[in-house]
Amino acid sequence: MARFPVALIFAMLLGVLPAQAQSKLDGQFRAWLEKDLWPEASAKGVSRTTFEAAFDGVRPNAKLPDLVLPGEKPTTPKNQHQAEFNAPAKYFAEKTIGAVTSGGRARAGRLGKTLAAVEKRYGVPSEIILAIWGRESGFGAAKMPYDAFEVLGTKAWLATRKDMFRTEVIAALQLVETGVAERKAMRSSWAGALGQPQFLPTSVQKHGVDFDGDGKIDIWRSEPDTLASIGKYLADYGWERGREWGFEVVVPESVSCALEGPDQGKKISAWATLGIARANGKPFPVKEAAREGFLLMPAGRNGPAFIVSKNFYVLKEYNESDLYALFIGHAADRIAASDKNFLGKWGNVDALYRSDIAAMQRALEGQGYDVGSADGLPGFKTRRSIGAWQAKNGAAPTCFPTRKIVEALAK
């Protein structure tokens, strides 16, 4: 495939493509659709009529994040497109979580019978389902800004995870082919997520539920189908009926933040023996004491800490961000009980580019630390690697990236 001149690549990254370059890209996209994607779609039951209707007038969107341009190698972008991986305090802004809380409470009464039926079938608390619904689509009010086939087609052709998006675009075609969705309903987020629960197409196929009994899975207009589909999604990923998602705690300095992670679980009673206590002063529930819990410190020592259950990690199957899962759990608690915020405060964190964090991760990998992936996203493996590196170098572990750490590791 032909390479693009550097000036055109820079223009594409800015989303401003000269007409000639856009025309060239359009032609390459059309050739890929016809010669590469269509044979697979046809083999998987998609008709020519559906395929042509899906991509009629669709052009590749160079403004989408995490694309690899024709002939180029993947690079880590400077800016972070996902809110879930930016500053924690901003993600938990009261305006945002308050809207989900109040909106969830308002719907809890109106949809009480449906929610009770969903909870009975799938074991997922109604407030968890409401929190996800509110966070994902504003309870169905959010307007999806993109054509789903534009997003999924572009990403299946050019994304860093093109194999994943190829599977998704084929699934999207199958949804239209089988009548689950009309072509005009295929609007999505920048990531290709659909409908009120913001499912990727394969998730619609695997977890979609016809809960209103009209013979059709409709996550676009049916509230019962939306709520049940969210419940089934979580149940399918192993939601443990009757368990809490987690508890806010106070972690003494004697307990290292590098003990964080789903692979370093202990009985909740064992965490208590180490001096970890609930932030509200109450004891851990007796029924939870012998169950496994996991330390979560999403901002390291710069914010609230938690002991979470396996259900927290089920929430992460919906969105892999720790902050997302924490937002859902916290919003659900507020919908169910009170408007109280976390007792711990989010501290200020350095504003770092995603590319800065990726460089830090590569440096830590070079010293033998397991950061998970040098992707510029500070997940739990990166946070605890920072803590271990700090301890080794005589500093008090804080387990969160800072400008000083980035600069020290760059030397």
Side-chain angles (χ1 to χ4, degrees):
M1 190 172 288
R3 294 173 66 89
F4 280 82
V6 172
L8 295 185
I9 293 167
F10 182 71
M12 288 179 72
L13 292 173
L14 293 177
V16 181
L17 207 59
Q20 185 177 5
Q22 180 66 61
S23 178
K24 183 176 182 179
L25 195 70
D26 290 349
Q28 290 176 320
F29 179 63
R30 284 287 151 188
W32 172 80
L33 286 174
E34 188 63 30
K35 296 178 182 179
D36 193 336
L37 190 64
W38 162 241
E40 181 178 354
S42 178
K44 293 185 176 177
V46 177
S47 68
R48 187 70 190 183
T49 299
T50 295
F51 190 84
E52 290 182 353
F55 292 104
D56 182 29
V58 171
R59 306 172 75 185
N61 186 344
K63 295 181 181 180
L64 296 172
D66 299 325
L67 301 183
V68 181
L69 306 182
E72 295 302 310
K73 295 181 179 180
T75 58
T76 303
K78 287 185 69 175
N79 294 323
Q80 174 49 255
H81 196 79
Q82 283 184 261
E84 288 84 0
F85 292 97
N86 281 313
K90 184 178 180 180
Y91 191 74
F92 285 90
E94 183 58 32
K95 180 180 180 180
T96 303
I97 199 163
V100 172
T101 300
S102 61
R105 284 184 177 172
R107 288 160 180 81
R110 179 171 64 83
L111 297 168
K113 289 184 178 180
T114 299
L115 287 163
V118 171
E119 184 169 346
K120 182 178 180 180
R121 180 179 296 187
Y122 298 111
V124 181
S126 60
E127 55 268 19
I128 289 285
I129 293 172
L130 287 166
I132 290 175
W133 186 26
R135 178 69 202 186
E136 291 295 335
S137 66
F139 306 103
K143 302 299 182 185
M144 295 301 110
Y146 295 98
D147 180 281
F149 288 105
E150 173 191 302
V151 171
L152 295 170
T154 301
K155 286 180 171 285
W157 181 41
L158 294 177
T160 53
R161 296 185 293 171
K162 63 175 61 179
D163 289 344
M164 184 199 89
F165 283 105
R166 186 184 184 92
T167 299
E168 296 298 340
V169 75
I170 294 292
L173 289 164
Q174 291 171 332
L175 291 178
V176 176
E177 181 69 33
T178 57
V180 173
E182 298 174 359
R183 172 61 182 92
K184 65 182 180 181
M186 296 296 280
R187 306 292 301 177
S188 77
S189 69
W190 62 267
L194 306 170
Q196 296 190 44
Q198 284 292 273
F199 278 1
L200 286 172
T202 55
S203 292
V204 180
Q205 293 178 323
K206 294 174 184 176
H207 313 294
V209 178
D210 170 22
F211 207 69
D212 59 15
D214 67 354
K216 182 178 180 181
I217 297 168
D218 186 357
I219 61 166
W220 291 269
R221 291 167 293 193
S222 170
E223 291 178 334
D225 289 8
T226 294
L227 299 174
S229 296
I230 293 171
K232 185 177 187 298
Y233 185 105
L234 297 177
D236 288 347
Y237 277 105
W239 184 274
E240 294 185 338
R241 189 184 292 260
R243 285 208 76 184
E244 305 274 359
W245 67 267
F247 310 92
E248 186 181 357
V249 298
V250 176
V251 180
E253 293 295 331
S254 58
V255 177
S256 173
C257 50
L259 291 176
E260 181 184 7
D263 54 350
Q264 299 193 99
K266 303 178 188 292
K267 289 183 178 180
I268 290 180
S269 59
W271 289 114
T273 298
L274 291 176
I276 291 178
R278 292 182 68 180
N280 62 10
K282 297 179 180 179
F284 291 106
V286 173
K287 68 176 183 177
E288 293 282 349
R291 308 291 293 271
E292 191 173 30
F294 311 90
L295 180 62
L296 172 74
M297 300 182 73
R301 291 283 179 181
N302 298 304
F306 308 86
I307 294 294
V308 299
S309 73
K310 289 183 179 179
N311 282 344
F312 176 84
Y313 294 101
V314 173
L315 292 175
K316 284 190 67 175
E317 294 290 347
Y318 214 103
N319 182 312
E320 64 184 18
S321 162
D322 288 325
L323 293 184
Y324 175 87
L326 184 59
F327 183 102
I328 297 304
H330 182 50
D333 288 348
R334 288 176 54 160
I335 291 169
S338 72
D339 285 327
K340 290 183 179 179
N341 212 327
F342 296 128
L343 296 175
K345 304 300 181 185
W346 299 106
N348 294 323
V349 298
D350 290 348
L352 297 170
Y353 287 125
R354 183 173 170 182
S355 51
D356 292 334
I357 296 173
M360 178 200 69
Q361 290 168 322
R362 288 192 292 270
L364 287 168
E365 284 182 328
Q367 296 185 29
Y369 293 96
D370 178 10
V371 300
S373 176
D375 55 7
L377 309 177
F380 75 90
K381 287 187 176 181
T382 293
R383 297 194 296 266
R384 71 189 187 190
S385 293
I386 291 170
W389 177 84
Q390 288 173 309
K392 182 178 179 180
N393 287 275
T398 60
C399 298
F400 204 74
T402 64
R403 174 64 58 190
K404 184 176 180 181
I405 293 171
V406 169
E407 292 174 350
L409 283 163
K411 294 178 180 178

